[in-house]
Amino acid sequence: MPFGRFKSGAASISDAVYLEVIGNLYGTTVPILIAGGCLAIVGAISVSATGDRLSAAPTIVGVVVAVVRLLGVLAFRTETRRRPLLDRAEAAVWEWRYAVGSVATALIIGLLAGRSLFVGDAICLVMAVGIAFGFSAGTVARLSLRPVVAILDFAAVGLPAVVASFMKASDVPHIALGVMFLVFIVAGVEMVRLSYDNTLNQMSLKRKFEQLARLDPMTGLLNRSVLATDLAEIIVERGSAMVAVHAIDLDHFKAANDRFGHPVGDALLRQVAARLSSLAGRSDLVIRMGGDEFILLQGAPQSRGDAEAMAQRIYEMVSAPYRVGDHEIVIGASIGIALSPDHGRTVEALLSRSDAALYRAKERRGGYVFAAEPARANGDRSRQRAA
């Protein structure tokens, strides 16, 4: 059994994929309802048809476990509606809770199937074994990315029937049934392995394509599509705290692009992207809007002064000379700054006001300007407060 492959694969699951997997575990109540309902029906029929009171115990416990698991799903949904899962450690707690309920259900079904071998009723045996096989088939589909839980489920649902079958060692059909259950357990684990590999590959590819869709292929920066999601989330998370949107336009880029050619222009844009990325902190985002327009989203400035200092650093960094091949190129920058919550609390408002401020900065031929304020010109005047 290739447990090593399970272990190495689990380590390769990113936090984002892992959080999605745990969310999917709690995404439906149907398997829990089916397992609990089938246990209640089969257990009630077994007790009624055979008078075997021992069959009543796993039936009652199974229904109670199903109710507790349903309450767990509702608790998870209530919790994640208020806020998403924060990290892997928190998700692991929810996974452990789900695993306990799933393995408990599997063990109860296995005990009922094992007990049915002793009650002497063929219909009850077929029904109990049918639940065991149905639950195991669901395990392959539902828990393929949590293989340890799946393997525990297979063991819990199959081994009681195996033990019960071999206890009737004088009965060849029962021995054959026990062997069949053992083969079934091994085959089930192999199916989990195959499903695990396929599902993990699919989810990894999905995440990869999602990330590629967020990137600008030329510069490797984020593209404008992230503004509707990431900027909106940052605004909500920060609440009344400040967020700064620096809208940046390169001055004289078109002239350089026309003079030296598009390959040089593309290389110049990549150098600008690298310089802006070097300025960004861990909570900041650098976005290429298209052409020679960029946004540096300052996620956690402590004050208006922090935002202004960032604008000054952007201006000085972007305006410094560039070396592209044999060419030394000097361009400038115009920067429009909008602050949340002062200049708006929505993505649309902040982008509109930073763009308007950028337009005023360009009218003054560079430098930076805050939304709804006079521009600060380039050169030494950029360090002086406008009258």
Side-chain angles (χ1 to χ4, degrees):
M1 176 59 222
F3 286 101
R5 293 194 62 180
F6 285 138
K7 185 176 180 180
S8 61
S12 69
I13 298 179
S14 68
D15 287 354
V17 171
Y18 179 70
L19 295 180
E20 182 179 347
V21 168
I22 303 308
N24 288 340
L25 290 181
Y26 288 90
T28 178
T29 59
V30 173
I32 300 173
L33 289 171
I34 291 176
C38 288
L39 270 171
I41 293 170
V42 173
I45 291 175
S46 295
V47 173
S48 175
T50 65
D52 180 41
R53 296 184 179 277
L54 288 178
S55 297
T59 302
I60 295 171
V61 175
V63 171
V64 171
V65 169
V67 171
V68 172
R69 295 183 70 195
L70 287 172
L71 293 175
V73 171
L74 294 177
F76 177 87
R77 293 178 177 179
T78 300
E79 182 71 17
T80 52
R81 270 198 299 267
R82 291 193 292 109
R83 61 172 181 78
L85 292 176
L86 296 179
D87 53 35
R88 200 179 187 105
E90 183 180 9
V93 173
W94 286 103
E95 180 187 9
W96 178 84
R97 293 173 182 172
Y98 189 93
V100 169
S102 181
V103 174
T105 301
L107 181 59
I108 291 165
I109 292 174
L111 290 172
L112 186 63
R115 181 59 190 169
S116 68
L117 291 168
F118 292 92
V119 298
D121 189 294
I123 297 298
C124 293
L125 174 60
V126 170
M127 289 192 298
V129 172
I131 296 178
F133 276 88
F135 179 87
S136 300
T139 295
V140 173
R142 191 175 66 259
L143 294 173
S144 61
L145 275 179
R146 310 318 304 147
V148 173
V149 181
I151 292 170
L152 289 175
D153 276 0
F154 277 118
V157 79
L159 290 180
V162 172
V163 172
S165 297
F166 287 139
M167 288 176 67
K168 290 179 169 287
S170 60
D171 188 335
V172 174
H174 282 90
I175 295 176
L177 182 62
V179 173
M180 183 189 72
F181 265 104
L182 283 175
V183 172
F184 156 74
I185 292 173
V186 174
V189 172
E190 177 64 11
M191 287 297 298
V192 168
R193 184 188 69 79
L194 293 173
S195 181
Y196 174 82
D197 289 342
N198 292 334
T199 306
L200 181 58
N201 288 337
Q202 290 172 7
M203 295 186 75
S204 298
L205 283 174
K206 174 188 171 185
R207 289 288 175 182
K208 182 178 180 179
F209 288 137
E210 287 176 349
Q211 288 300 318
L212 288 175
R214 290 162 49 90
L215 296 178
D216 172 57
M218 178 186 295
T219 62
L221 298 178
L222 297 171
N223 61 35
R224 64 187 307 153
S225 67
V226 307
L227 291 171
T229 53
D230 294 39
L231 177 53
E233 290 176 2
I234 290 172
I235 292 171
V236 171
E237 290 173 0
R238 293 286 288 170
S240 59
M242 185 176 291
V243 176
V245 175
H246 301 265
I248 306 157
D249 189 87
L250 305 182
D251 297 336
H252 316 302
F253 172 78
K254 185 177 184 303
N257 194 51
D258 292 343
R259 178 181 177 186
F260 300 111
H262 293 295
V264 172
D266 292 347
L268 181 58
L269 288 174
R270 286 191 285 270
Q271 289 192 31
V272 171
R275 291 186 183 188
L276 292 175
S277 298
S278 70
L279 291 174
R282 296 185 61 183
S283 60
D284 302 338
L285 300 177
V286 182
I287 300 158
R288 185 187 179 207
M289 297 293 285
D292 61 347
E293 297 180 5
F294 299 82
I295 281 181
L296 192 150
L297 174 60
Q298 196 174 1
Q302 298 302 307
S303 65
R304 178 191 173 94
D306 281 351
E308 184 168 5
M310 174 62 83
Q312 183 65 39
R313 290 196 298 273
I314 293 171
Y315 176 78
E316 292 173 352
M317 181 71 80
V318 173
S319 300
Y322 296 84
R323 171 64 63 175
V324 181
D326 296 330
H327 309 293
E328 183 175 282
I329 303 172
V330 177
I331 59 175
S334 297
I335 306 163
I337 312 159
L339 305 176
S340 173
D342 295 350
H343 302 139
R345 294 178 177 269
T346 66
V347 173
E348 294 78 10
L350 290 173
L351 293 180
S352 175
R353 289 170 186 171
S354 64
D355 192 59
L358 171 62
Y359 181 78
R360 293 202 311 279
K362 289 187 72 67
E363 285 182 327
R364 290 162 172 78
R365 298 184 180 180
Y368 61 87
V369 57
F370 281 88
E373 291 185 3
R376 301 176 189 278
N378 57 10
D380 292 337
R381 292 178 58 195
S382 67
R383 300 181 183 87
Q384 301 172 359
R385 294 193 60 85

